[in-house]
Amino acid sequence: MIRAAELIQRKRDGGELTADELRELVLAYVRGDVPDYQMAAFCMAVYFRGLNAAETFALTDAMIRSGETIELGRAIGRKVVDKHSTGGVGDKTSLVVGPIVAACGVPFGKMSGRGLGHTGGTLDKLESIPGFRVELTTDEFIRQVREIGLAIIGQSADLVPADKLLYSLRDVTATVDNISLIAASIISKKIAAGADAIVLDVKVGDGAFMKTIEDARELAELMLELGRHAGREVACVLTDMDQPLGHAVGNTLELREAIATLRGEGPPDFTELVLSACAHLLAFSDLGVTEQEGRERAAAAVREGSALEMYERWIAAQGGDPSEDVLPTAPVVQTVTAERDGFVASIGAVAVGMAALQLGAGRQTKAEAIDHAVGILCLAKRGDQVAAGETLAEVHARTEEAAQQACADVRAAYELADRAPNPRPIILETIA
């Protein structure tokens, strides 16, 4: 029998745990042999004392071993790629990257999650589409990636159950923001879901979990090591989240922007991030292309219409209607206007995300329902010149009262200045 109290005490005092001890602790917790209060104490000890590289590898491996794994590449006989984001405001990247990569002939298989707090979830956006199925069996998931080339689904209940239990525990014990625990959580799910190559988008700034480039770099480098340790090819891009990504924040609004981007009509910052992620994934694939060639192929798939066609095939394969006409719309639309001439110096990403949350576009607890129609369009972005009375943003709401409050919140999120701010690229750094 594992003696959890001894392991907690050793980690509390700065000691090191062996791979066998960590594996037994995690598996005993999943079986119910270690209670929540002891695992919470362990997480707090890790929060203050940290884990070294060997312990982080062992924890990740233990989490993978806690449930089933999918050998996706082996099952379909091709190298499969995936993309993951650490979460942000207006981040609908997977909805565009998946169809582009698949249109270029590379299988893309992803298990995704829901939003919580001010960050949106890919599954919530997809559930804006009438009839779309986010829950597929493992066999259905594999078959769709083989036949269509693309599937994005919810995480299987049997996939890394340790992560589900640990994350819920960390969320209520103030132990979420530890880099080793974050990295183990992300990488264990990616490895268990079966992708051979992964691009990790690590958000940096106001609307992100990692507020500084230094913290984001540390997380990226650790995830890179974990992925390589498991035999995966991994690249990390550190991307700006000091303002919302693109224009749209809110499920249906983001879905519409994703479709526009697949038509070649997306916002510049979002389009640049999409093409960069596609370039990395195509270079990782079995096509034998460079990153530059991958970027050119991705741009061509958009330009020639094959990416949009792939999107429509994918949505239909999972039971949805790919037509924009069926997407819900909010009954109230109000504009936020500039109070003076100037340049947009900043847009508070968290403030915009929280305004969308209050409209009903997100959830504060896992049990809350989402209003897929509501959200915010940030039409003026950092660096744009605006005149007094010109539209900065649109609020899409269920009621006039909700719209008025959101307008006030969004207006407060915008800061205008007399001079244009220094430009800040969407991609801050690449670690590969």
Side-chain angles (χ1 to χ4, degrees), residues 187-220:
I187 296 299
S188 64
K189 287 180 288 191
K190 294 291 106 180
I191 292 170
D196 301 295
I198 309 156
V199 167
L200 299 168
D201 178 2
V202 182
K203 301 294 186 189
V204 186
D206 173 64
F209 191 74
M210 313 310 291
K211 302 299 183 185
T212 68
I213 193 77
E214 293 79 16
D215 286 346
R217 189 180 297 122
E218 183 180 357
L219 175 61

Side-chain angles (χ1 to χ4, degrees), residues 187-407:
I187 296 299
S188 64
K189 287 180 288 191
K190 294 291 106 180
I191 292 170
D196 301 295
I198 309 156
V199 167
L200 299 168
D201 178 2
V202 182
K203 301 294 186 189
V204 186
D206 173 64
F209 191 74
M210 313 310 291
K211 302 299 183 185
T212 68
I213 193 77
E214 293 79 16
D215 286 346
R217 189 180 297 122
E218 183 180 357
L219 175 61
E221 289 173 347
L222 180 54
M223 290 194 295
L224 204 65
E225 289 182 21
L226 290 173
R228 288 174 175 169
H229 185 76
R232 268 46 172 195
E233 293 179 273
V234 183
C236 295
V237 288
L238 278 54
T239 64
D240 176 43
M241 190 39 70
D242 267 343
Q243 65 174 343
L245 179 61
H247 297 306
V249 180
N251 301 283
T252 294
L253 296 179
E254 291 187 47
L255 197 58
R256 292 182 186 278
E257 185 164 271
I259 295 169
T261 304
L262 288 166
R263 289 197 301 261
E265 302 167 1
D269 60 339
F270 182 49
T271 298
E272 173 60 26
L273 176 53
V274 164
L275 291 177
S276 175
C278 289
H280 283 296
L281 289 174
L282 293 177
F284 278 148
S285 76
D286 52 19
L287 296 181
V289 300
T290 65
E291 279 184 36
Q292 182 57 38
E293 289 169 336
R295 185 183 179 97
E296 291 167 1
R297 291 195 185 197
V302 173
R303 186 172 60 250
E304 296 165 5
S306 61
L308 184 59
E309 290 174 6
M310 175 56 71
Y311 168 83
E312 293 171 349
R313 287 185 64 203
W314 161 45
I315 298 303
Q318 287 185 229
D321 186 337
S323 171
E324 285 190 73
D325 295 338
V326 302
L327 296 177
T329 57
V332 178
V333 178
Q334 292 188 9
T335 59
V336 178
T337 58
E339 296 179 335
R340 67 179 183 90
D341 297 348
F343 294 86
V344 178
S346 66
I347 312 170
V350 168
V352 172
M354 291 303 295
L357 175 67
Q358 294 302 320
L359 286 169
R363 56 174 68 83
Q364 298 186 64
T365 67
K366 291 182 179 180
E368 283 185 341
I370 277 182
D371 186 337
H372 292 99
V374 301
I376 297 159
L377 291 177
C378 295
L379 300 174
K381 297 292 294 286
R382 187 177 54 218
D384 289 348
Q385 186 172 11
V386 295
E390 188 174 344
T391 298
L392 298 175
E394 282 182 1
V395 169
H396 294 238
R398 186 60 54 187
T399 66
E400 294 283 349
E401 182 181 8
Q404 290 172 7
Q405 180 59 57
C407 283

Side-chain angles (χ1 to χ4, degrees), residues 35-290:
D36 274 350
Y37 61 82
Q38 284 190 311
M39 206 61 182
F42 170 75
C43 289
M44 189 61 75
V46 170
Y47 179 85
F48 283 112
R49 290 295 190 173
L51 297 174
N52 62 28
E55 289 174 310
T56 307
F57 292 147
L59 177 63
T60 305
D61 183 64
M63 290 168 68
I64 294 168
R65 289 169 181 263
S66 71
E68 71 171 24
T69 58
I70 302 173
E71 297 290 342
L72 193 53
R74 181 179 300 175
I76 71 170
R78 290 286 307 280
K79 194 174 185 180
V80 180
V81 301
D82 187 8
K83 176 216 145 277
H84 178 82
S85 167
T86 57
V89 179
D91 185 6
K92 71 288 292 181
T93 314
S94 295
L95 302 177
V96 184
V97 169
I100 293 175
V101 168
C104 292
V106 174
F108 185 97
K110 177 177 176 61
M111 289 190 178
S112 198
R114 302 185 183 280
L116 187 62
H118 74 276
T119 63
T122 299
L123 296 185
D124 299 318
K125 305 180 210 307
L126 288 171
E127 286 183 332
S128 300
I129 304 169
F132 189 90
R133 294 174 60 210
V134 299
E135 304 298 336
L136 300 183
T137 67
T138 298
D139 287 344
E140 288 174 326
F141 177 53
I142 293 171
R143 183 166 58 250
Q144 184 170 311
V145 175
R146 181 191 297 118
E147 295 176 358
I148 304 295
L150 168 61
I152 299 179
I153 65 172
Q155 184 179 329
S156 162
D158 297 323
L159 195 84
V160 200
D163 179 65
K164 292 187 182 72
L165 293 170
L166 278 171
Y167 189 87
S168 297
L169 192 66
R170 289 163 54 212
D171 191 40
V172 296
T173 57
T175 55
V176 170
D177 49 341
N178 172 273
I179 284 176
S180 291
L181 296 178
I182 295 169
S185 173
I186 291 171
I187 296 299
S188 64
K189 287 180 288 191
K190 294 291 106 180
I191 292 170
D196 301 295
I198 309 156
V199 167
L200 299 168
D201 178 2
V202 182
K203 301 294 186 189
V204 186
D206 173 64
F209 191 74
M210 313 310 291
K211 302 299 183 185
T212 68
I213 193 77
E214 293 79 16
D215 286 346
R217 189 180 297 122
E218 183 180 357
L219 175 61
E221 289 173 347
L222 180 54
M223 290 194 295
L224 204 65
E225 289 182 21
L226 290 173
R228 288 174 175 169
H229 185 76
R232 268 46 172 195
E233 293 179 273
V234 183
C236 295
V237 288
L238 278 54
T239 64
D240 176 43
M241 190 39 70
D242 267 343
Q243 65 174 343
L245 179 61
H247 297 306
V249 180
N251 301 283
T252 294
L253 296 179
E254 291 187 47
L255 197 58
R256 292 182 186 278
E257 185 164 271
I259 295 169
T261 304
L262 288 166
R263 289 197 301 261
E265 302 167 1
D269 60 339
F270 182 49
T271 298
E272 173 60 26
L273 176 53
V274 164
L275 291 177
S276 175
C278 289
H280 283 296
L281 289 174
L282 293 177
F284 278 148
S285 76
D286 52 19
L287 296 181
V289 300
T290 65

